[in-house]
Amino acid sequence: MKRFQVSFMPALVVLAIVALAFAGVALVSSTAQAQKTAYKIGAIFDVTGPASPLGTPEQETVKMLVKQINAKGGIDGHPIEVIYYDNGSDEAKSVMAMKKLIEADKVVAIIGPSQTGTTLACAETVQAAKVPMISCAAGNAINEPVKPWIFKTAQSDVHAVKKVLDYCKTKRLTRIAIITVANAFGDSGKKQIEVQAPGSRISVVARESFGSNDTDMKAQLMRIRQSNAQAVICWGTNPGPAIIAKNMKELGIRLPLLMSHGIANRKFIELAGPAAEGVIFPAGKLLVADTLPTNDPQKRVLQAYASDFKKAYGKEADTFGGHAYDALMLVCRALDKVGSDKTKLRAELEKTKGFVGISGVFSFSTKDHNGLDEDAFAMVVIKNGDWARLK
Amino acid sequence: MTRFRPSLTMISAVVGILLVTIVPCFVKNSYALVPLTFIAIFTIVVIGLNLLMGYAGQVSLGHAAFFAIGAYTSGILTTQYGFSPWLAMPAGMVLAGLVAFLVGMPCLRLHGHYLAMATLGFGMIIYILLMQWPDFTPMPFERLGALLHIPASLVWPTTGGASGLVDIPELAVGPFVFHENIQKFYLTWAFAILALLLCANIVNSRVGRALRAVHGSEAAAATLGVNIAAYKIQVFVLSAVLAALAGSLYAHVVNFVSPPTFNFIRSVDFVVMVVIGGMASIWGAVLGAGTIVLLGNWLQDVGAKYPRFAEFDLIIHSAILILVMIFMPAGIVCTVRDAVLRWLRGRTAAPTQTAPAHVEEVATK
Amino acid sequence: MTEPVYARKRIMGNLPDILQLLFTGLAVGSIYAIIAVGFTVIFSSTQVVNFAQGEFVMIGALVSYWLVGAEHGPHLPLLLALPLAVLTAMFVGSALGWVLMRPLKDASVTTLIIITVGASMLMHGIASMLWGKDPVSVTAFSKTSGYSLYLPAALTGPDAYPVYIGTQELWVMGLAALIVLLLTFFFNKTMVGKAMRAVSVNRHGARLIGINVSRMVVGAFALSAAIGAIAGAAIAPISMASYGMGTMLGLKGFAAAIVGGLGNFPGSVIAGLLLGIMENFSATYISSQYKDAFAFIILLVVLVISPNGIVALFRRRRARA
């Protein structure tokens, strides 16, 4: 013990880092730039941490759009400036970022966060500060009951579940087994299925769950095999559903496999490989934009977004980015009409009717702050390693 | 020497209270008080954990679970049973204490680091339980509800599963509600300072001396008649109770709780805070919690300007942790204090020590 | 009317189910066992509980993915990629061992544990920058993905399900068995292995008889990392690979190491296998919702009844009898 000596150089380095951290808070927060005519919009996305696959494309989309909008001369002559904060998928950090946006950066509206949890953690703050916020998360708890200042653009699980159950109903699949991932997404899907199934005269005969990092789901699937289910509904995000698709093939379970919009990306097909064939799921229309009929109002918007995103980042656009697209465009639309008064902005947002976005055609009302219905989804089947629209 | 110690605590306390009172005057925007509020909340957890790690020589890798017990007890009792937050708070603390006793009992009787392993397992179990809590009432409880003629929801509380609990009320005294940033700031710091004083007193009391003896040499302490296991359990229970208090404050400040806040990473974060502040230094808890929260806050600000930077968050966190642990295993506070003492006494002074008892002797000689 | 027939079929038909659960349980259990052995190797030579063990698994999986299948990777054949992935992990492992050298001399065990936690976070962060945050699929070792094994109808009744024997699962089990054999040989027969054991028994004594303790410690970390990386490369085709995959596997492997009695080599192998099997059975016959909690509940129970692990428990029983 006594032999131990503190070497000073490394100690000093560490101290310097800590001191910098303290100083940085004062420095950075005091240098919030002010461009006089610019509209300031705040953005909080879950860019790092477990929800980063959601937050990353959202932030990229907003960046791309801001460039586009300002290149076209901004909104009514005002350029827009977006201030981005990353909340590390953490709820406490979301609250900190939210307060900064409202009180330090004095933004007129906020888009994000990306997850239901991080959104709900900010809800009280936003309501009290009376700043309109458009979340990119899907959870129903966000606007049930409706919170006047909070909107959301992601299609609700209610509609995804309805679409899936409708499909089951038309195919006369009345006994279903569900297998859901143990996180907020899977939990919400499970609850919605339980709520809506009786209305469609469908009974849930098996309920299974898997961890987001589980390596093998055969045990759960064997339980489903023992039940007399006619179809399996899996509600989760990568990589779990891909493992389930593989395991089902391996176990020789030939039941129809339905999934959620959580797998509406190329990654799923890549991960599941041939096992992905025949999987049916509801997806935002972005996935099948090219095959939509020409009279579909969304077709043009979807194709433009998809090609712009591909050009800007060299990868395919996904539905999460689409939620951020809608959020920013809704705010810009309202700004264009009523300017930067927050109360008017909120009222204008609530009056939005027939806005054609990526996630669907939005029509808000005092009772509905999501503004979408199940038509926002198309049922998609995976065929030959690609998506095909059903019907 | 014994007369000097309480006064040292008193001085620190007075300085602390003064600092806390003044700080808001220097803060132009009240948003800056938000990270400071979180610092207060985490400080309360870190003090308890600090006692456990620094004095009882045990690590807990599941303290987020006790934090969760406090937060969820508050959330459930206030939103589903109409309890006053002031009643829910002690309820959570008692529950956490009981659970800690049950978990700690078997492990702390043994020599070695079994507590670290047990708490790790315990933390994972609580997290999974919160995630997977059934949203329907299990059959026996439904029967019980029917038997007592009360709704089943009263017999079987819900945690909201992975989606969490919303609309947790704010703390209030009569008509006065702790709602504004500054009100929450004072509220949490009042609790934090009380916790600091409590623990400073414990450290300086007979219990504290016994603990230090245990940390110095368990065998020697045992020969002197110190019941090592009993002391360790007491400290562990105390740290759990403090974590629950902090959890309850968190629930009433953020008004929302969900499982990801209480995962394994959070438990590790608490340990990191203790380590940075310095094990066996009560006041270091503030610095430890402060460094991590402000560092996170600072990275967020820098990330707002240089988005690629956000990716480095985890790397910077862990690099600091490793460097601190290798080069100043006694933590920043102790290392700096020792360096200052050494400087004061010239280069001939006694070398540094992880156990503070010796340092204090040097200081008071 | 059909009820009794159905019931009979259920009972007899359970045989393929049980075999299936046993098989997949053994595969997952082999991974837990390998990781637990990794914990054991480091713990017995340094008394350090290495919380970065799971990250070695992740490194093995992601490096072999990058070398074999990644779009912009070098597309090496598996036979070359696997040793390279193991070497990378060994390099990282020895770096960690080297970093720990200095604190090992006089810091408390707590400090050492925390450093490994920090190292785990660091690897996590770096991996997420190098490979991104999305999971990736990894090419299996063999072309054939598996065989469906039909049991004789006389045993199971008509139209029973087959038992699926995955080739990759066989690889996992085979590699696990190979590792256990090699390690047993290494620790009992080779000079270096014996020296490592000597260090674990008495560090100062080992130094006195001329063993280079530092080299042994770094060696233990490198060895443990290699073991972890093999586990990672083997499980990745089944589970997919991502920067976060190591955490849960590491914690489960850790639970196995404790259940087997920390530092007990055969104990951790047995505990790992048992944990995998029990977890699988509990998911089917109890509830899949609490499946992940199961390993940790066993961990707590074992700590309460027999803190030195299940093997010690049996040994004690035998001694008493």
Side-chain angles (χ1 to χ4, degrees), chain B residues 44-342:
Chain B
I44 298 173
V45 186
V46 176
I47 308 163
L49 203 53
N50 188 300
L51 282 183
L52 182 72
M53 287 167 67
Y55 291 95
Q58 295 282 334
V59 196
S60 165
L61 290 170
H63 248 52
F66 298 114
F67 192 56
I69 289 177
Y72 270 89
T73 311
S74 266
I76 289 170
L77 288 183
T78 52
T79 57
Q80 289 160 43
Y81 295 83
F83 270 54
S84 149
W86 297 110
L87 276 176
M89 194 183 277
M93 289 158 74
V94 169
L95 183 61
L98 279 176
V99 173
F101 182 76
L102 291 177
V103 174
M105 246 313 246
C107 306
L108 289 172
R109 274 178 325 186
L110 307 160
H111 191 84
H113 286 265
Y114 293 102
L115 187 74
M117 305 158 196
T119 46
L120 185 143
F122 171 69
M124 299 300 293
I125 293 171
I126 291 287
Y127 177 71
I128 294 165
L129 212 59
L130 291 178
M131 272 295 202
Q132 300 281 8
W133 196 267
D135 39 320
F136 57 90
T137 311
M139 210 42 208
F141 289 89
E142 212 164 306
R143 291 241 179 85
L144 185 68
L147 217 66
L148 298 171
H149 296 287
I150 48 173
S153 60
L154 278 182
V155 195
W156 186 255
T158 164
T159 68
S163 313
L165 274 180
V166 288
D167 295 329
I168 300 169
E170 275 149 343
L171 282 163
V173 182
F176 180 80
V177 183
F178 291 95
H179 179 75
E180 297 294 325
N181 292 350
I182 190 156
Q183 294 159 347
K184 286 178 174 171
F185 168 83
Y186 280 128
L187 174 80
T188 48
W189 274 104
F191 275 103
I193 288 182
L194 278 178
L196 280 166
L197 284 177
L198 172 79
C199 292
N201 264 320
I202 290 176
V203 168
N204 291 331
S205 70
R206 213 174 68 86
V207 184
R209 285 196 297 279
L211 283 174
R212 276 197 292 271
V214 171
H215 195 62
S217 159
E218 283 203 10
T223 356
L224 290 172
V226 178
N227 186 347
I228 300 166
Y231 277 120
K232 283 186 187 168
I233 291 171
Q234 281 169 15
V235 176
F236 181 56
V237 169
L238 176 71
S239 73
V241 168
L242 284 174
L245 169 66
S248 173
L249 283 172
Y250 176 89
H252 292 300
V253 164
V254 179
N255 313 107
F256 169 76
V257 290
S258 79
T261 307
F262 310 99
N263 59 11
F264 178 60
I265 303 293
R266 179 73 68 191
S267 292
V268 172
D269 247 7
F270 288 147
V271 173
V272 174
M273 288 175 187
V274 172
V275 166
I276 288 181
M279 287 182 250
S281 82
I282 299 290
W283 300 92
V286 184
L287 189 90
T291 310
I292 292 298
V293 173
L294 290 180
L295 184 67
N297 192 37
W298 177 70
L299 286 172
Q300 196 174 49
D301 284 333
V302 176
K305 286 194 164 168
Y306 310 100
R308 284 290 297 172
F309 201 76
E311 312 254 319
F312 288 94
D313 189 358
L314 198 58
I315 296 177
I316 293 176
H317 258 135
S318 46
I320 290 180
L321 175 67
I322 296 174
L323 287 176
V324 167
M325 275 329 312
I326 293 177
F327 297 110
M328 354 189 214
I332 294 174
V333 167
C334 293
T335 309
V336 172
R337 186 177 60 188
D338 295 354
V340 170
L341 285 177
R342 202 162 31 181

Side-chain angles (χ1 to χ4, degrees), chain C residues 44-105:
Chain C
S44 44
S45 55
T46 59
Q47 301 291 303
V48 173
V49 178
N50 175 29
F51 278 101
Q53 196 64 34
E55 309 311 322
F56 294 144
V57 178
M58 176 268 290
I59 290 175
L62 282 173
V63 171
S64 64
Y65 151 76
W66 186 77
L67 290 174
V68 177
E71 207 179 326
H72 305 292
H75 295 282
L76 296 181
L78 187 82
L79 223 55
L80 198 63
L82 203 60
L84 279 177
V86 170
L87 274 178
T88 317
M90 282 175 88
F91 176 74
V92 177
S94 24
L96 178 61
W98 181 78
V99 163
L100 279 168
M101 270 330 294
R102 185 183 155 148
L104 254 179
K105 285 185 191 122

Side-chain angles (χ1 to χ4, degrees), chain A residues 1-2 4-8 10-11 14-15 17-18 20-22 24-25 28-29 31 33 47-48 59 63 84-87 90-93 95-97 99-100 103-104 106 117 120-121 124 128 182-184 187 190-191 209, chain B residues 29-31 34-35 38 131-132 135 160-163 166-167 179 181 250 254-256 258 261 266 291 294-298 300-301 304-305 307 310-311 313 320 323-324 326-329 332 335-336 339 342 351-354:
Chain A
M1 277 294 216
K2 297 228 164 183
F4 192 80
Q5 298 266 318
V6 178
S7 50
F8 265 88
V14 175
L15 263 183
I17 294 173
V18 175
L20 262 176
F22 279 88
V25 177
V28 176
S29 47
T31 52
Q33 331 87 317
V47 182
T48 58
Q59 180 153 316
K63 285 204 166 139
Y84 307 90
Y85 286 115
D86 167 33
N87 61 17
D90 181 70
E91 284 154 13
K93 279 190 189 163
V95 178
M96 293 193 322
K99 297 258 187 187
K100 271 187 258 185
E103 289 169 28
K106 302 217 169 10
L120 285 173
E124 288 287 329
N183 64 23
D187 192 56
K190 181 175 86 184
K191 282 180 185 155
S209 164
Chain B
N29 283 311
S30 74
Y31 74 90
V34 179
F38 283 118
M131 272 295 202
Q132 300 281 8
D135 39 320
S163 313
V166 288
D167 295 329
H179 179 75
N181 292 350
Y250 176 89
V254 179
N255 313 107
F256 169 76
S258 79
T261 307
R266 179 73 68 191
T291 310
L294 290 180
L295 184 67
N297 192 37
W298 177 70
Q300 196 174 49
D301 284 333
K305 286 194 164 168
E311 312 254 319
D313 189 358
I320 290 180
L323 287 176
V324 167
I326 293 177
F327 297 110
M328 354 189 214
I332 294 174
T335 309
V336 172
R342 202 162 31 181
T352 48
Q353 259 294 348
T354 34

